Amino acid sequence: MGLFTRKNNESAVATATLPVDPALAALTGDYTIDPAHSSIGFTVRHAMVTNVRGTFGEHEGALKLDGANPAASSASIDVKIASVDTGIGDRDGHLRSGDFFDAEQFPLMSFRSTRAEQLGGDMYRITGDLTIKDVTKPLSIDLEFNGTATDVYGNERVGFEGSAEILRSAWGLTWNAALETGGVMVSDKVKLNFDISAIKNAA
């Protein structure tokens, strides 16, 4: 099931579109991301041979979905840097320090969308501005729409999951250490992972 309507390529009129599916049109509205059932994390290569995975336990955000016009959809997310968790306290403390995120001076990482588009089927791309520390740069996130459901409390939910890759150095996260065998301790390339559940706001 796609979230947005698609062009009918078989129509003799190039601009013709399929009728809006009432079920999809009903999804149009404002949503609040549910942090208890969502995950924002990352994966980065460590010591050239393995991956370290982490999550940010505290975040909040909102989605505005338009079931007929993807360009009118938007997203905003704020992540509390101090909530980073890789499973090792000393490493988490280092990530919060001035060598990396400097969580005391820059407590939030934020994303504000500027564009949304359908890639085909249930796949979408949302582009916007990612701010880490005092650096803001564009980021595109590819997302799969996982559908909608009404939970046991009567909340209407939508789900998305996706990922993006960044070079951390572009946001000023440049700390590293050389290895005796060659290479560096932490890869510059970082994969960001998103698993989002959002609840539709009451009208």
Side-chain angles (χ1 to χ4, degrees):
M1 178 176 69
L3 178 59
F4 304 114
T5 58
R6 304 179 178 88
K7 285 190 175 180
N8 183 354
N9 293 326
E10 296 179 357
S11 172
V13 180
T15 58
T17 60
L18 293 172
V20 176
D21 184 334
L24 298 182
L27 299 181
T28 297
D30 296 322
Y31 292 75
T32 298
I33 293 175
D34 177 8
H37 297 93
S38 301
S39 175
I40 297 175
F42 60 89
T43 304
V44 61
R45 186 63 60 93
H46 176 262
M48 308 295 292
V49 296
T50 190
N51 288 318
V52 167
R53 293 174 174 82
T55 59
F56 294 95
E58 297 182 42
H59 51 82
E60 61 183 19
L63 307 177
K64 182 180 180 62
L65 302 183
D66 190 313
N69 179 16
S73 298
S74 61
S76 63
I77 300 174
D78 290 314
V79 176
K80 188 174 180 180
I81 293 296
S83 70
V84 65
D85 182 6
T86 64
I88 297 179
D90 287 345
R91 181 164 59 206
D92 296 342
H94 192 197
L95 289 173
R96 296 182 191 109
S97 75
D99 283 344
F100 285 95
F101 289 109
D102 195 358
E104 184 174 348
Q105 184 174 358
F106 304 103
L108 295 179
M109 172 173 61
S110 65
F111 176 80
R112 299 290 184 269
S113 70
T114 56
R115 181 184 179 191
E117 57 187 312
Q118 183 178 14
L119 301 180
D122 291 330
M123 296 303 299
Y124 299 86
R125 176 171 294 152
I126 188 162
T127 299
D129 295 322
L130 176 66
T131 300
I132 303 176
K133 299 173 77 169
D134 57 351
V135 179
T136 299
K137 289 186 174 294
L139 174 70
S140 292
I141 306 168
D142 288 347
L143 296 165
E144 181 177 5
F145 175 53
N146 289 337
T148 182
T150 301
D151 66 22
V152 295
Y153 302 105
N155 298 312
E156 185 176 355
R157 291 178 178 267
V158 292
F160 294 88
E161 61 180 314
S163 63
E165 287 189 351
I166 66 170
L167 296 179
R168 61 187 178 90
S169 59
W171 280 266
L173 304 177
T174 58
W175 183 92
N176 228 320
L179 301 174
E180 291 184 1
T181 54
V184 293
M185 181 69 73
V186 185
S187 172
D188 190 25
K189 184 168 67 175
V190 179
K191 183 178 181 180
L192 303 177
N193 306 299
F194 305 87
D195 195 345
I196 302 298
S197 178
I199 298 172
K200 192 172 188 179
N201 299 343

